[in-house]
Amino acid sequence: MPGITIVITSGKGGVGKTTTVANLGTALAMRGRSVVLVDADIGLRNLDVVMGLENRIVYHLVDIVEGRCRIEQAMIRDRKINSLYLIPAAQTRDKDSVRPEDMKKLCENLIETFDYVLVDCPAGIEQGFRNAIAGAQKALVVTTPEVSAIRDADRVIGLLEANMLKDIHLIINRVNQKMIRRGDMMSTEDICSLLSIPLIGVIPESEEVVISTNRGIPLVHEKKSNTAAAFKRIAGRLEGENIPIPSDNHEGGLLGIVKKLLWNA
């Protein structure tokens, strides 16, 4: 049975999209699934660093597309999990080096072998975005509880739907419960109300993410981390498990103000 290609996107950069790809892919592989991570951010690759595989790159995505290597030659096996691989992006080429039909063909080949193909989409809505979504059957939109990130996520959701990608779920990253209780941050319910797509996970704000990224070891390897547990719960929900998402809605939220800022300006 073929696997599934999932694009992880956001619109805005810096919301934790690449970290989400690394941790979610690792969490799925830890469950025994075969997973390949595809870095589609040509020219600005980072997924190899987050995975701690930057010193093992020989070939990259553009080499596959231009026929200089086979897919298997560009895949780098993870250091800890044998069923987890990375296809890195090219560092010295631009996004026009790959076409949407190239990515679609690559993903079709990969899902014949892997349970999950996770595509790390570059920020923005230009050529890199069109490439990344071309082969996907499902999309995860990552946002943070910031006005600019939510507005960009809303724009991306509209573009995904315009490209006939209907299976779209939301991940809210860097949620700070103390700020929500003070009324200084939108709750997850407020954000879901604004974006109108199903929520699949909430990632708490944590300095552990920065530390793990700098070490090149995905946080999900840490057994006692609450943030790692949040990524693992998302992996479980992707596999169809019924894992509840706690409510954090509080009175006095910022929903009304933000709605006015975003959609009535």
Side-chain angles (χ1 to χ4, degrees):
M1 183 176 177
I4 182 171
T5 299
I6 303 174
V7 61
I8 292 85
T9 184
S10 63
K12 185 178 184 298
V15 300
K17 176 172 43 57
T18 298
T19 304
T20 299
V21 173
N23 281 283
L24 191 54
T26 304
L28 288 165
M30 291 170 75
R31 299 169 69 93
R33 305 295 179 248
S34 57
V35 181
V36 59
L37 313 178
V38 180
D39 190 345
D41 198 354
I42 298 169
L44 291 172
R45 73 182 181 209
N46 284 307
L47 189 52
D48 56 314
V49 175
V50 178
M51 295 295 295
L53 299 173
E54 68 273 19
N55 294 325
R56 298 173 60 186
I57 296 174
V58 178
Y59 296 106
H60 48 65
L61 176 60
V62 177
D63 288 327
I64 297 174
V65 169
E66 295 183 347
R68 282 190 291 274
C69 72
R70 291 178 285 108
I71 294 175
E72 294 79 7
Q73 289 178 292
M75 291 195 301
I76 306 169
R77 190 194 297 269
D78 184 65
R79 293 174 299 170
K80 294 178 176 291
I81 306 176
N82 289 336
S83 63
L84 177 61
Y85 292 81
L86 167 70
I87 295 178
Q91 183 76 329
T92 57
R93 302 290 294 272
D94 61 43
K95 294 176 174 57
D96 292 333
S97 302
V98 176
R99 303 168 301 170
E101 49 267 39
D102 296 325
M103 282 296 292
K104 186 175 181 180
K105 182 179 179 182
L106 174 64
C107 293
E108 287 173 349
N109 286 328
L110 290 172
I111 60 173
E112 293 298 322
T113 304
F114 290 90
D115 297 317
Y116 291 95
V117 178
L118 302 188
V119 181
D120 186 10
C121 180
I125 55 174
E126 308 302 332
Q127 181 66 35
F129 172 79
R130 291 193 290 272
N131 290 339
I133 69 171
Q137 293 93 50
K138 182 182 184 70
L140 301 179
V141 177
V142 181
T143 188
T144 56
E146 300 169 6
V147 174
S148 58
I150 295 168
R151 180 154 63 178
D152 286 357
D154 186 56
R155 171 70 169 144
V156 161
I157 292 166
L159 291 172
L160 291 170
E161 292 173 340
N163 282 274
M164 306 306 292
L165 195 52
K166 303 299 183 184
D167 189 355
I168 309 170
H169 284 76
L170 178 66
I171 294 175
I172 305 176
N173 192 23
R174 297 178 192 151
V175 172
N176 185 317
Q177 293 295 338
K178 289 183 180 178
M179 291 184 68
I180 292 175
R181 283 194 288 273
R182 291 200 305 263
D184 293 329
M185 177 179 282
M186 280 185 287
S187 70
T188 56
E189 286 82 359
D190 288 344
I191 297 169
C192 291
S193 174
L194 290 168
L195 296 178
S196 299
I197 59 172
L199 180 67
I200 196 169
V202 176
I203 309 299
E205 187 175 40
S206 171
E207 64 181 23
E208 295 173 314
V209 174
V210 178
I211 295 170
S212 68
T213 299
N214 289 338
R215 289 177 177 171
I217 302 173
L219 185 58
V220 289
H221 287 292
E222 293 290 334
K223 295 181 180 178
K224 298 181 179 178
S225 166
N226 290 332
T227 303
F231 282 116
K232 291 176 181 176
R233 287 194 292 271
I234 295 174
R237 295 181 189 112
L238 278 176
E239 298 236 277
E241 296 178 10
N242 183 19
I243 303 173
I245 301 174
S247 170
D248 61 12
N249 208 4
H250 299 274
E251 293 183 357
L254 300 176
L255 177 61
I257 297 172
V258 173
K259 271 186 173 177
K260 185 176 180 180
L261 286 172
L262 286 176
W263 283 273
N264 297 327

